[in-house]
Every structure is written in structure tokens, then in C-alpha cells.
């Protein structure tokens, strides 16, 4: 069930094949001079994958407005189809991460099969206790897992346990818990009691995890709470993960930190203590802007991957990070942004793989600062696009996914098929 | 037409009168020792006023959720009533600032009379081109006054001209223009062309200003745009105001600056060049958090007023700033927050009025740094609450407005009168 | 051995006594109405003390310049005398925190007795491996405890062990370890290996702690390293303290965090896990500005004390924080700044003591956000100056320490006694 | 007078020539497919030049410590020799920017000829009123051009006039004025009066400019002043430049802005109003870190050049920016860092030259956000190293300047020739 015509992809790939071959060969020769095998790198690129969030294919917005695009997905079935396009063309997004209650259906086995037809599996399940749902008995206005009152905490725990059950049926093995709980005023809540409430509630969720599941805890500096946030930084996240147990790990969203923060060092620290859950990739300039990965500070993205490849290379203990995109597409076609982002992330991963880690360690040991820095820079400025393209084509994807997507007229077709609906649940996060 | 029973206010004031008299007398003696007359200060407090935004009486929200409170105003008539409560109890919010199209009615003369019954006049009129309205022909998704395409800019100009016309009928003498125009991606627009487009469109609005009107231009660092914003800082704002002409001035919102910015110096600069329009008061810890004025950094609020009182004292040229509250009340009763904020702002104003500016100038001239700083601090730590309370009571307001409001049961009464409506336009900004 | 004439202090106190008595009585009546006993609060103020750093009495500087003041202390003996003035006048700074090698002498028992004559004891000892000393065999240019090479790490460990030995002789029971180790370039060092090196070296220092000693680890976001810092945040600090053992705790310097950070929540977290060592008090607007405590954001200082008093009230486990001032006095008389800061810190502590914690907890439980916030604000706006003055006078100090200091002509006298020396070690941190 | 053996350079270039030819040819073919001529780009690279600051060849430091490197320049003659190496190897740094009084000599004509022997001319002259010099009559502790007292301001004006006179003899045509003036405490000075003092003093300097000279005013958010800075942002800078006249322009240092600031938009604004003086290139993560250009956020550097090339392309009025590096080299060999930085800056310039501005404008007009963004990204990810290398070699420089510098043993040779001196004036800024 391929959303885009494979014939179209093939003919477009054919048209660009000669130029790609020339660039690939030239890069191969250059890399060979640097002691690197381009084919190994292409294999590495083919093995790479990052999850796409189901809500990401809808148009996002701000507190001021949301400007929907044409042909928006109306439900999880439309979303799967859109995610199928991304996977078909890029071949590097083999799972989707669902969100409940947004993606609720009556038959999850059927949903799992539906996804499989697009070549998609299910990644971590996301719960939602930052919004009130129709018919919900208690409001999350003043918090959920960290609410001052026990009944609201219990309701939020219950929802997370339900998400685990759904995830079990979908083949997921992780629950991602992000809560907006916090305060807007000094004194609104006791900061310690609020965290104790959170830890107690989170322990009940943790207790409900199947044996092979992990619990991903996501920290964020602020928003929706503007004075304090319960899990505001990796320090609080770490305490939570330590308190809960070995199945609890800390998720890093690139836009959830204070200005000027060295995020790659936080990644290194979490790897070191065996608590890195994985990532929500996006980019940001100001706050949790949820912009496309690599669009603001691509060198930072590279430096994060430099830590990840370093951990992989040295065989860091318990190192199995989960990778997911988490963006809000307010002014672009979400499918295009997600394809572009998936490719930018793969680019950073591959560039980080070019570093000669033995030589780097030697320069570091000798305090040859400039040489060490330039080794990273040499990897970063290498344009690995030909490798990424080769990997896509070998896997059946498109040489240029965005060009192919536009050529296929997918959005126009969906605009006709999917009449606009008011109050869609997609794209808000 | 007093929303709250004056008898109730009177009896509550009576109950607290003795304590108030004692505190007022004690403070009076202390101030006299410092060479200050408490009665002059009380008169100063009575003369103070700050405008309340009509949208402020609704519950605000974030991009994640909005949790409405009970008894929310359904329309401009309800909003005026709520604003009337604030003025009745605090006696320091004698105007309201309306927002269009949210506050549209068919008869503005009637609206003006309706407001007058609450003792309220109309302050600056606010236009809205950051949201699409039902039936609007062109979308603001990619901008309004700075849109790449002329027809959209023309539509946005037209809306502003309509706001001026409405404002004229309401007795306003200023138009506040805040636009969300900007970009989410480097390259999305040409930064220079975008500003040129803005200046050209703004000039058309400027040309439509009545002779005695001012145009307030509001800058903001980011949000809803996350890579660049056309009027992102006071430098861009200043260029715009200089380009447009003497009736264009720069509005300062305390939450619209980069982290760590010294806002009071920006205020001083704008006063110096005769371009300070006035303020949107609120407080913030992270971004444009729109929290209650003085709730995060009350000393900063004091330092802003220190500049304003300094400018007033030295008779700075063209110094007639407009004062307005602009907050988003997500977790409090908006009426309570607005009353508390109005009092915090008056507190800062009054504290700044305690500074002996001649002595300060002398210490500054002598580079007696510590002495100069401590003169500000001495003013700041003075608890002027008894003066503020006295001023309220003398003007017919409440000794303790929040206690009186709660005692009156206004919110419960309105909850019964105003059934909840979905999609209310209030409280989003 | 009182540096300032007690007669002078007495006569100045006498001159101000009537006004003080009036203000104290008025405040006492107001507090009584609020259910608080002013005399208990005065006793509380008298029991309060904060340590003064020996280097703080010298003039500080920036990388651009240091502008020494007149009469600067030339050695630890001069510094003790200056610290003696601070304690004599404020009566709230009963210990000093020495720094080595800056404060090295040949006879530490004699130094201890010399300090005792000023009524001073010794607080935590500070080591210094962020500068090279004359005759030092290996340089700290590329790091100390986290240096890439073992011999440099060993040298730094050795210095810390020597500091412990000196501290033992001085009666200290804690070692404060702040290192500047970090990198200026991505890739300069392996972030993980650097931390491992640090942990290994720190463990050797930890092993050398006497049984009743604590080790205070201080984190700082950046400077002198500008890309990464080994102990850059409280998360890394916590991991270090957890790894080392129960005697290792995390020190909070108010200027060592990322912009916008909610520091009081970090304090709450560290208290909660029993790892709060204590504080280096100062204030800052941009980076580690080391300005006078409470001079930039006094409400933040209050909120930190709100957490501390809350922890004290609820009897938090292992809660015995050490309090020290750490400032750089670039444009003020250091003695004046330290006295003013000691009083500001005591003010915040006392204001936090005014909060009715049972009523606060009740409002929090009920999600009465505004009421809860206003309870903190009511405490904060209370001018407790009369209580602080009363506590000073009852303890033999000055009603107005800065006025007394100026009247005594201490600085002029020292300017005559202490000829300027080049390259003084004081005041750089 | 070539500091490095041209034979050595030649033989190293020869050894790498084949690989360079292959990479150059491959890139040429790729660019040709994109409609770009590699030879035009190489010519463009050859025409590029950026000035090197004389103080940059010394080792910098922080307020905590300075760790000198071996073979440091002892005076302006040594500095010129080091700058000569940079120009000889990179061929893109044809001027130096001197600093007074650090670079004072008795015969400036001789100095000019000495520089010419290294192929160097003199760029903007830098004054220094942020430090006290031996024998200076009035201190700058409390300010210089903005000092509260007229005699100190006059002394600072006098120094700047002397710098102009020296610069005239050296063939400079611009004076760069950066002052540290500001305050550490709210209230220390009147913010308005301080700026008025500055404007009055600056006007006297401006009046002393030769007809063909420009005055470059440099703003900086903070440091050495930590509460307020007179010229803290581009808004204040703009007012100053507007007040002074057409010869006064605003200099942008990449590290002198608030966190998260969109610097490229500031560049665009200054170009638009004809007030962009030029740049002090460096990079930073936290404050004014003065790290190597492009080492922290190379995409930001590219985006700045994207504005510059855009302005060049559209023929912006009065657009003749001056380019200078301004870095502090604390842990690297300054010569290596300056060569690497000069190359990174040229890289960004060249990458920005790859953008098809007509196609970009078309995508912008159509609000094709993703396409527009990706046009910038396509330019940015292009590795233009072969062009930069080709340009260097064609101009007589080194294929790999840092490798050649190391091979030449220049630093070891200078270490022998230049005995270490204490208190060197280099490298502090």
C-alpha cells in the first residue's frame, strides 16, 4: 500500500542518477583518502531510523492562532497514510509514535496491521494529561500527576496505565510521559510537595509497566507553566528516574533547556549514568519553538550525535537511545518538514560517524586543542548528501524526497479527499 | 451602576479602618523623618491610573490548552461589567483598552455610554491581524502588514483604519499596533524586504490617524514567529517610529525582551529621544509569560518606574506615557489578578516617588556608588500599602479589594448568569 | 580588639534610638495583628549568621581591568581586621572563609587566635586550582582535577589535601571545591572522560576528609571555560556528590546558573535529596556577575529563603546549610558592600520567616493560587529593617553599620597604614 | 620579509596538489550543475580579506587567570611578525588593527613600513579607556567618555584624538571606540545623564575625525559593567551614530548581544539605515566569550554573511563594511586560531555567495517557506574548502596553513627568540 507511485519515484531517481553517481564517486575518493569507506557509511545510513509522531503530520499553532493547511489528516488513519509517505520516500522513519487520546480507535490490532501495510511499526506511546478531554471528570487546570489533590493524580495515573495497555496491543515497548504540571506564581504550590506528589503518582505508572517496557520521562524548562515546572531540567528528571527504577529513563528534547545550555554535555552525563532514554528532535532559537531539526543550529545537532556515536563506539553501558522527531509545523507542509528533518538528523548522525575517534583521543590527551576541534569540524563540513541519497535509493526511496513528493501531487489529492474539520486534535504540541 | 454593593465595601472598610489608621500614621511619621509628606503621596496615588485590557478579564491559555474559569465574560458588555468591578474596588483603572474584532458592536456611542456608567473611558484601541477571522478573504498565516504580497498587506491596513474609526467613536486617541509577522525559518523571507513592506503599510495607517491621535508600535522578541520577528526589538521599533513620524511612538511590554535585558535603560533611551509611547505591564520569567505585574521581579518594575518618575521630575520633553496592563490569566480569577496587578503597579510608582532625586544626583556625581544604590533600595523596601489603601478608600474604593470582591460573591453570581460558551475570543493574548 | 570605637557606635546608636524605637513598636503592633511576635523574630535575627570570604574584602576586577581602592588589605591579617569591622558593626558575620594559597601563613594556630580576637571563627576552606602559582610544577591551563593527564590531577588533589590539613588547624569542618575545568572548543576534551577524571580525583580528596568534615562541590555554568564546564550545573554536581558519598554536598552560588533558571526550585530539589551544602550569596543580571546580594533581584533572594525556611519548618532531613557571601566588589568599598549584603541576606531570611506556612499549605491544597502567592508577597513587602536594627543593637552592633563605618573613618586610616601593593591576590574571584 | 620559508610552503603545497586538484574539479562539476562557476568563486575568495587585531596574537585570559603560551609577542614589532605569518599562509588578512596605548612606538612611519614588509596595512585604530595606564592622571574606574565628571571625560576624549592622529600616520581611516562605561548597581548613575555625557564627549571625538575617516561605535550588552552599559545594544548604538553624524557607524561584535538574539536581523537593519560599520568576528556560547569565529555556531556566521551578500547583491546604499577578527585565545596558539578563524569567515562568505538570490526571492514571494529555507541550507552544506585552498595557493599562500605553520616550527623558534615577559599588554580583550 504505497501512497506514492513507485513508478514516479523510479523515473525521478533515474533522471538524477548520473549526477548522484558522480557526486557519490567523488566523495568516495575523498573519504578514501581520509581512511573511510563510503560503502560502510552508506550501510550505516541505511540502518538508521527515527520515529515520526502521529501528531506531527498535522499543522501546529501557537496560543495566538493556528493556521491549518490544506488536506490535513482527520484521524489516525489519515495520519498513518501521511507517515507512510514519509517512510516510503525517505526510508529512514520506520516507526510512528502515537498519542492518546488523540489516536484512540476501537481495534488496535487492526491499527497495527494498517500501519504495517505502510511499512510502519509503533514506537513509544505518549500520554496526555496537559489537556482536558470532553467528559473528563476532573480538570488538569492545576496539574495532573503532581496535582495537589489525590483524586486528580489518580485519574492521570489511570490514563497512563490505559496508554500502556493500548501500547501493548500496538507493539510498543515504551511510554513517554510529559506533563505540563507546574506553577505560574511563586507560592502557588510547595515545590517539594509537588515533586513528591509526582514521584508517588509516577511510581504507580512505573508499577504498571510490562517487563520489557521502559518509561521515558521528559523534562522541559517552562510552558505551559511559567514560574516553575515539576520536571523542569535534567537534574529533576534524573532524580525521578533514579527514584522510580531501572526502567525509567530521561528523554532529551532539544528545545526544552535554558538559554545557552550545553545540551551535548547533558547527553554525555545521562549516557554515563545509564539514564538516557532518547530524544525528541527539533530545533529552537528562543524557547520550545519546535522548529525543524537542524534548521536553527545544525552544529549543535552534530555535537549531540558526536556524543551518541562516541558512546556507541566505546560501548557505553545500557546505551539504546530511542529517536523521535517532535516538531510543530506552523508554516510548512508537515510532510515536507518531517522528511527534511529526518534527512537532517541522518546527516548529523553520519557526519559524526566520520570522526576518527582514536586520533581525536590522542589530540585530547596531548591538549592539542585546535587539532581536536578541527577533527570535529572536518567531519561536520563534509557534505554527506550523496551518501544519504544513495542509502535512500538502495532502500527503494527517493533520490530527492521533497521533489518526488511535490511531483506526486499528494497534498492536492488529499485536499480533495479530506474536507477541513474544525477543532482537529493534530498539531498542537 | 456599581457591580459591587457600596454598602458591603463600606462595612468592610469600616472593619479595617482602625488598623489602617494606625499603619498610615506610623508610616506618616517615618516618612516625615525622611522629609516626605504622606498626604502628598496619597494624593499622588489617587491621581494614578492604569488601563485594563478588555480581553484580560477572560481566562487565557497556552498553545497546549486553555482551562476556562467559571462565569467568564461572553462579550464586551460582560467585559465592561468585570472591568467596572476592578475600577470600583481599586479606583485606579479608569480606562479600558478594547480589541477588535473581538469587541465589535453595532453601536459604539451606546458602548461608550455603557462604559461611562461604570466610570470607565476608552484607552488605546488594539487591532488584530495575527488571527484569521471567519469570512476574512486573505489569510495572515504568512504575515499581515509585512506580508510578501500586497493584497494581504492592504487588507491588514484596512482593518487598522477601521479600528481607528471605531476608536474615534469610543473617545480613544491612540491605536496600538502589534503584529506577529516574522518567520520560522532562515530564508523564509528577506529580512529587509519584510521590514520595508511593514514600513510602507504602517505609513498608510499612520496617514489615517486623526490629528490628536498617536500610534503605539509594540515590539516583541519572538512568538508567534520563532526565527525572526519584524519588530523584534526596540531598535527596529525606533526605526519604524522615526520613519513614520512624530505621532508614532514605541510601546514597551515588559515581557517582550531578550533574557537579561536591562529594560529600564530602554525606557530611559526612549524617553530621551521622545519616543516612549507607554507600557503593557505584566511580568515574566522565561518569555512573554504574561504573568501578573510584579509577581516575578518586583524590583525591576520599581526600576522602570524609577526612570519614569525621574523623567517626570526633570520634565522630559514629550513625556506622556500611556499605561496599560496586558496579562494572560491562566490559573487565577482574572478580576482578582487585574486588581492585584493594578495595585502592584501603583506600589512601584509610589515607591519610585519616594526617592530624593537631588540627593541621588549628588551621590552619582561623587561616584558614591553604594550610597546612590541604597537610596533606591530605601525607597523600594518601604511598604507603601497604607498609602495605597488610603488612596483607594478616599476615592470610594475598597480597603482590601480582593477581600471585598470575594465577600461580594461576584464570581458565583456571574457563573449563574453567564453560561459557558465554547470558543470565546477572550483571554488568548 | 575592636577595629571601630565602641563609644562611637554607642553614641550613634543613641542618636537614632528614638526613631528606631518608634518604628520597632509600630512594626510590632502590625505584626501582632498578623499573629506574629516581633521579639521572637528579633531573636531569630540575632541567631542568624553568614560567613564572609577573606578575598571579598579586596577590590575585584574583570578580565579588562582591576581598579584597586584605597587601603586595600595586603595579607590575611589585614583581611581579618576588615572582616572584624564587618562583624563588629553588623553582628551577623561570625565566621570567615579562607582561600589557599592566598591566605597561607606559617602558624595557623596563631591565625585562629588572631581571628578569635575579632570574634571570628573559620568557615569552609577554599582551594584554588584555577590559577598557576609561582613555582608550581605543572600548569592548570588545561584543567586541574579533570585534566587529561594524571600528574596534573595528582598535583591538584595534593593541594586540596593540604587545604584540608590547614582547615583542620583553623577549626574548619568543610572544604569547598570549585574548579574552572572545562573546554573552550567542542572536541577539546571528551566530555565523559573529563568527568570521569574529575570523579576519580575528587574521590581521593574525599578520602582525605576528616570524619566530621563535609566536601562542598560548587557548580557553575561557564567562565573561565566557554564551551563546556565539567561541573556546569546542579545535575552534574548531584551525580558527583552521589558518587563520592554522604559527606559530599552541592553548593549553590546564585550567579552560576543559566539565564531564567528557577534557582529556588533547585534549592528545593537538593534539600529533598539531602544534598544541599549551602550557598555562595551574591546577585547577578547577566552571568557570574558577583554583585551584592539582593542588589539585582531581591525577590529571588527571598524565594530562596522561602525554601530554606520551609525546609527548616518541616524538619527536612540532613538540612544544615552553610551560608557564605561570595561577591566581587569592583566599584564599592568592599567592607560597605559586605555589610550591606549581610543585612540584605538577613532581611530575606527574616521576611521568609513571616510566612504562615499552615495557611499557605491550605491555600495550596485548595489551588487558591492568588491567595497563596499573596501570602508570600505580604511577607516580602514587609519592611523588617527595624527588627534587623534591633537585633544588631542588642548584640552590640551598629544601628546603621554603614553610617557608623563612615563616621569612624576606618578606610582613611587604613589607607594611611597600608601602602598600595601591586599584584595583590585579593578580590579576583 | 617572509616569516615562513616559501620553499617549505611550496613543497607542502606540491605534496597536496593532486588531491586538491581532484576535489576542486569534482566540486567544480557539481557547482556547474547548480549553475555556478567555480572559477568566479575562487576569484571572489581571493579578493576577500579580514583584518587581524594586533592584540589577538597574544594569549588572552579571564578575570581568574591568564596562562601565557610560549614565544608570546613582546611588542608591536613581534605582533606584526606574527600577523605576517597569518597573512603569508592564508593570504586573506591583509590589514592589522592596532590598539593604543598598547602598540605605541616613537615612529609611526617606520611602523607602517615595517608592516608593509609583511604585506600588511593598517585597519581601524582602537582606543582604550577601559584600563588605567601608568602615570594617567584620572582613573577610569567609574567610566571614561560617560564619566560623571567632566575632567575624566576630557582626558578620554584627548586619548581618542591622539589615536586618530596616530592612525592618520599609519594610513588608517577609521577609529573604533569601545568603552566599558556603565554601572554595577541600579542607581549608581542616572542612565540618561550618562548617555548624554557620552554623546557630548563622543561629539568632540567625532569633530576630530579627518574628512575621509569613519568612527565605529561598538555596543556590548555587559562586561565589565554588570548592571547597565551605556552603549549596550544596537538601539543605543544607533541613537549615538544618528546623533553624531554620517561618519559615525555601528560596529557589530557577534558576542555582544543578549542570549537568543537574531544578530543577522540586526545586521540587516543597520544596512537598511546606512549605519553598518562592520564586524568584530568571533563566536560565543554564553557571553562575550571571544571564541574562534564559527567554532560555536557556524550557521549563524553563514546567516550574517547571507545578509551581507544580499546587501552587496542588491547594491545597498552606503554599504562598505569593515571586517575584523576580535578573539581571545586562551588555550590555543593564537596564530593557529587566527588562521583557522580567517578561513572559517571566508568559508561563510563564500557559502553565502552560492545562493541563487533570484530564485530565493521567488520562493519568498510565493511563501514557499521550505523551498526558500532549503536554498540557504543547500549553500551552507556545500563544502567550499577546495575553493578556499585554491584561492590561497593561487595567491602564494599555503594549501593547509596550519599544517605549514606547524611544519615550519615558527612557534618553537620564537620561543627561543622571545623570553617571557610579565604583565604583557597583549591578549586581554
Amino acid at each position: 500500500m504505497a501512497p506514492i507511485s513507485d513508478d514516479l519515484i523510479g523515473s525521478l531517481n533515474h533522471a538524477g542518477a548520473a549526477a548522484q553517481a558522480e557526486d557519490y564517486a567523488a566523495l568516495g575518493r575523498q573519504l578514501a583518502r581520509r581512511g573511510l569507506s563510503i560503502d560502510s557509511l552508506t550501510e550505516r545510513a541505511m540502518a538508521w531510523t527515527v520515529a515520526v509522531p502521529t501528531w506531527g503530520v498535522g499543522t501546529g499553532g501557537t496560543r495566538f492562532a493556528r493556521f491549518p493547511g490544506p488536506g490535513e489528516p482527520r484521524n489516525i488513519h489519515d495520519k498513518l497514510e501521511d507517515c507512510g509517505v514519509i517512510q516510503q520516500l525517505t526510508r529512514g522513519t520506520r516507526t510512528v509514535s502515537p498519542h492518546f487520546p488523540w489516536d484512540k480507535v476501537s481495534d488496535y490490532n487492526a491499527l497495527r496491521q494498517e500501519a504495517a501495510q505502510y511499512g510502519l511499526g509503533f514506537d513509544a506511546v505518549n500520554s496526555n494529561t496537559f489537556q482536558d478531554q470532553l467528559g473528563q471528570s476532573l480538570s488538569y487546570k492545576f496539574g495532573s500527576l503532581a496535582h495537589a489533590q489525590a483524586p486528580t493524580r489518580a485519574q492521570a495515573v489511570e490514563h497512563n496505565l490505559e496508554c500502556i495497555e493500548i501500547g501493548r496491543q500496538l507493539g510498543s515497548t515504551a511510554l513517554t510521559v510529559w506533563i505540563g504540571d507546574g506553577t505560574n506564581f511563586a507560592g502557588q504550590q510547595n515545590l517539594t510537595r509537588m515533586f513528591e506528589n509526582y514521584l508517588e503518582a509516577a511510581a504507580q505508572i512505573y508499577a504498571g509497566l510490562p517487563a520489557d517496557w521502559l518509561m521515558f520521562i521528559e523534562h522541559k524548562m517552562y510552558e505551559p507553566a511559567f514560574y516553575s515546572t515539576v520536571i523542569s531540567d535534567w537534574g529533576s528528571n534524573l532524580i525521578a528516574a533514579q527514584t522510580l527504577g531501572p526502567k525509567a529513563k530521561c528523554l532529551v528534547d532539544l528545545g526544552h533547556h535554558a538559554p545557552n545550555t550545553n545540551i551535548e554535555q547533558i547527553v554525555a552525563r545521562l549516557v554515563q549514568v545509564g539514564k538516557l532514554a532518547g530524544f525528541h528532535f527539533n530545533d529552537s532559537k528562543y524557547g520550545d519553538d519546535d522548529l525543524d531539526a537542524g534548521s536553527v543550529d545544525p552544529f549543535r545537532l552534530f555535537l549531540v550525535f558526536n556524543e551518541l556515536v562516541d558512546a556507541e563506539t566505546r560501548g557505553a553501558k545500557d546505551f539504546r537511545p530511542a529517536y523521535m522527531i517532535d516538531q510543530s509545523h506552523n508554516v510548512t507542509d508537515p510532510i515536507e518538514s518531517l522528511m527534511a528533518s529526518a534527512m537532517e538528523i541522518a546527516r548529523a548522525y553520519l557526519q559524526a560517524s566520520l570522526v576518527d575517534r582514536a586520533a581525536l583521543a590522542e589530540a585530547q590527551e596531548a591538549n592539542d586543542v585546535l587539532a581536536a576541534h578541527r577533527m570535529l569540524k572536518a567531519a561536520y563540513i563534509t557534505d554527506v548528501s550523496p551518501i544519504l541519497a544513495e542509502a535512500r535509493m538502495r532502500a527503494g526511496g527517493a533520490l530527492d524526497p521533497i521533489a518526488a513528493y511535490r511531483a506526486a501531487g499528494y497534498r492536492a489529492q488529499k485536499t480533495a479527499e479530506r474536507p477541513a474539520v474544525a477543532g482537529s486534535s493534530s498539531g498542537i504540541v
Side-chain angles (χ1 to χ4, degrees), chain A:
Chain A
M1 201 164 84
I4 305 282
S5 150
D6 278 323
D7 284 354
L8 175 68
I9 298 172
S11 76
L12 288 168
N13 285 0
H14 184 74
Q20 161 65 12
E22 182 171 308
D23 287 348
Y24 189 77
L27 178 58
R29 285 191 300 273
Q30 197 210 76
L31 291 173
R33 269 190 259 121
R34 293 158 66 179
L36 291 159
S37 151
I38 196 168
D39 281 322
S40 305
L41 289 161
T42 303
E43 279 163 34
R44 206 168 153 79
M46 290 176 73
W48 170 259
T49 187
V50 62
V52 165
T54 56
W55 63 92
V57 289
T59 297
T62 70
R63 64 174 162 141
F64 297 100
R66 190 176 87 87
F67 299 97
E72 299 227 291
R74 298 155 299 176
N75 48 49
I76 181 61
H77 309 292
D78 288 352
K79 291 178 196 172
L80 284 179
E81 188 183 17
D82 287 1
C83 293
V85 170
I86 298 167
Q87 164 60 4
Q88 186 189 6
L89 295 173
T90 68
R91 300 286 159 164
T93 59
R94 291 190 281 275
T95 50
V96 298
S97 195
H99 199 124
F100 298 99
W102 296 343
D103 296 335
K104 272 197 171 178
V105 294
S106 52
D107 183 346
Y108 291 102
N109 282 325
L111 194 69
R112 196 174 175 176
Q113 287 166 30
E114 186 179 332
Q117 289 182 307
Y118 296 113
L120 298 172
F122 284 93
D123 212 273
V125 172
N126 298 266
S127 61
N128 177 339
T129 60
F130 51 85
Q131 295 180 320
D132 287 348
Q133 307 300 330
L134 237 77
Q136 179 181 310
S137 67
L138 299 167
S139 171
Y140 296 133
K141 180 169 190 167
F142 300 109
S144 58
L145 293 174
H147 194 282
Q149 296 161 0
T152 311
R153 297 198 297 273
Q155 175 183 288
V157 167
E158 198 49 50
H159 167 68
N160 275 278
L161 294 174
E162 185 192 357
C163 287
I164 293 174
E165 173 51 26
I166 294 173
R168 222 186 33 75
Q169 295 178 51
L170 290 174
S172 296
T173 58
L175 172 73
T176 297
V177 181
W178 173 69
I179 58 167
D181 292 44
T183 69
N184 273 6
F185 288 85
Q188 176 177 342
Q189 288 299 327
N190 183 293
L191 300 177
T192 302
R193 205 170 310 130
M194 210 171 183
F195 194 33
E196 288 169 346
N197 285 342
Y198 171 83
L199 290 174
E200 188 196 276
Q204 296 172 48
I205 300 169
Y206 187 89
L209 291 172
D212 60 339
W213 274 53
L214 294 175
M215 181 169 166
F216 297 165
I217 306 172
E218 191 172 356
H219 62 270
K220 178 171 171 177
M221 193 191 202
Y222 71 99
E223 193 208 23
F226 293 117
Y227 165 68
S228 74
T229 292
V230 178
I231 307 290
S232 63
D233 53 13
W234 76 275
S236 296
N237 200 340
L238 179 63
I239 291 177
Q242 288 175 336
T243 304
L244 292 176
K247 292 192 280 190
K249 302 211 169 194
C250 307
L251 191 77
V252 175
D253 182 300
L254 297 184
H256 289 190
H257 302 85
N260 303 347
T261 297
N262 185 322
I263 299 175
E264 54 270 28
Q265 180 162 289
I266 292 174
V267 172
R269 294 288 179 269
L270 289 173
V271 170
Q272 193 168 350
V273 295
K275 282 295 190 189
L276 180 69
F279 291 87
H280 274 188
F281 288 115
N282 54 56
D283 214 337
S284 62
K285 190 168 181 63
Y286 305 99
D288 185 25
D289 308 338
D290 279 334
L291 299 177
D292 286 15
S295 71
V296 175
D297 189 348
F299 190 48
R300 177 169 56 186
L301 185 62
F302 166 81
L303 291 173
V304 164
F305 273 100
N306 180 53
E307 293 305 318
L308 297 173
V309 173
D310 182 68
E312 176 198 344
T313 306
R314 70 171 191 268
K317 197 162 158 281
D318 281 333
F319 180 69
R320 280 168 306 154
Y323 298 120
M324 195 182 96
I325 299 175
D326 184 10
Q327 300 172 169
S328 179
H329 310 105
N330 301 357
V331 293
T332 54
D333 182 318
I335 292 176
E336 294 189 6
S337 267
L338 285 164
M339 291 195 298
S341 299
M343 293 187 283
E344 285 305 301
I345 294 165
R347 174 188 306 279
Y349 167 68
L350 214 59
Q351 288 172 323
S353 305
L354 302 180
V355 177
D356 180 340
R357 300 207 170 263
L360 179 62
E362 211 172 303
Q364 290 168 341
E365 171 76 19
N367 285 311
D368 189 346
V369 177
L370 199 93
H373 176 65
R374 281 169 63 82
M375 284 181 204
L376 293 195
K377 269 305 197 64
Y380 175 68
I381 63 173
T382 305
D383 181 4
V384 296
S385 305
I387 303 177
L388 298 171
E390 193 71 18
R392 281 193 299 273
M393 289 203 297
R394 290 190 190 169
L399 175 60
D400 183 339
I402 290 163
Y405 170 78
R406 291 188 170 196
Y410 179 82
R411 180 62 64 190
Q413 185 185 328
K414 293 304 140 186
T415 304
E417 286 173 29
R418 303 172 180 170
V421 285
S424 156
S425 66
S426 56
I428 301 297
V429 178

